[in-house]
Every structure is written in C-alpha cells, then in structure tokens.
Amino acid sequence: QVQFVESGGGLVQPGGSLRLSCAASGSISAMGWFRQAPGKQRELVASIQSSGSIYYTYYAASVKGRFAISRDRAKDRMYLQMNSLKPEDTAVYYCNRLEGYYPWGQGTQVTVSS
C-alpha cells in the first residue's frame, strides 16, 4: 500500500494563496486532490495522470481557473497551487490515487476566513 502525507494548509484571508504538497510512499500514475468540508462528502478537486510524457489534468468547476495541480514523478510528490481562495474552499484537503483509493492520510486543513 501507498501512504500519503499532506502539508501546506493554514489560515488565509479571502483572495489569498496557499500551496499544498503531497508526499507519497510509492509511485502512482493517476492521482488527485480531494477535500472534505464539515458536514459534506469528500469531493474530487483536481487530478493529474500521465501518459508517457503527456500529463492530463482535471479540475472541478468550482476551482477551475484558480487552482493548479502539478507533480514531480521523480520525487513521488504532487502539489496544488490555490489562488484567489474563497471561504467555500475551507476544508480538509487530501491526496490519493484517483481510483481504488489507498488508506487516506491525515489531510491538511485549509481555512479561508477574514
């Protein structure tokens, strides 16, 4: 199994930015960032998968144009650059394989508030 460690969350004002990092203990082709807000189901925020040297990305409509996903395959790391943050982005953010999830990590808390 692969384990994940998420980091980079924090408290930020609306309009601010954060960069999340995900360290995986193994190599995974298709990965995603997920988030879970209080009282809501976990949702996919963004994903990235590779086909040879080509990377394919997906963004949920609510974050498209504000978030950017990237990865360093050599280091088994994935990132989420979050700009123009809104209060509704407040959630615990997790990374995992896109399908057939491994055990979830602890996540990293993102709080957007003035």
Side-chain angles (χ1 to χ4, degrees):
Q1 286 185 337
V2 175
Q3 295 178 322
F4 304 100
V5 178
E6 302 92 349
S7 62
L11 173 63
V12 63
Q13 292 186 343
S17 297
L18 285 173
R19 187 181 189 232
L20 306 185
S21 295
C22 167
S25 62
S27 181
I28 303 172
S29 176
M31 291 188 67
W33 281 101
F34 303 79
R35 69 185 180 188
Q36 187 166 22
K40 294 188 177 181
Q41 289 189 335
R42 189 171 291 158
E43 63 173 349
L44 176 66
V45 174
S47 67
I48 185 166
Q49 49 188 316
S50 61
S51 177
S53 60
I54 300 174
Y55 286 88
Y56 299 91
T57 58
Y58 160 84
Y59 297 96
S62 58
V63 307
K64 199 168 187 179
R66 300 188 297 121
F67 290 10
I69 191 171
S70 61
R71 68 187 306 178
D72 184 337
R73 287 297 301 267
K75 297 181 179 178
D76 293 328
R77 285 187 175 267
M78 183 174 66
Y79 307 95
L80 186 67
Q81 178 66 42
M82 306 187 297
N83 300 324
S84 302
L85 283 162
K86 304 175 180 181
E88 50 264 42
D89 295 318
T90 295
V92 180
Y93 285 71
Y94 304 87
C95 57
N96 209 317
R97 189 164 61 175
L98 191 56
E99 293 181 347
Y101 305 138
Y102 287 113
W104 296 91
Q106 291 189 333
T108 185
Q109 175 71 49
V110 172
T111 302
V112 185
S113 175
S114 55

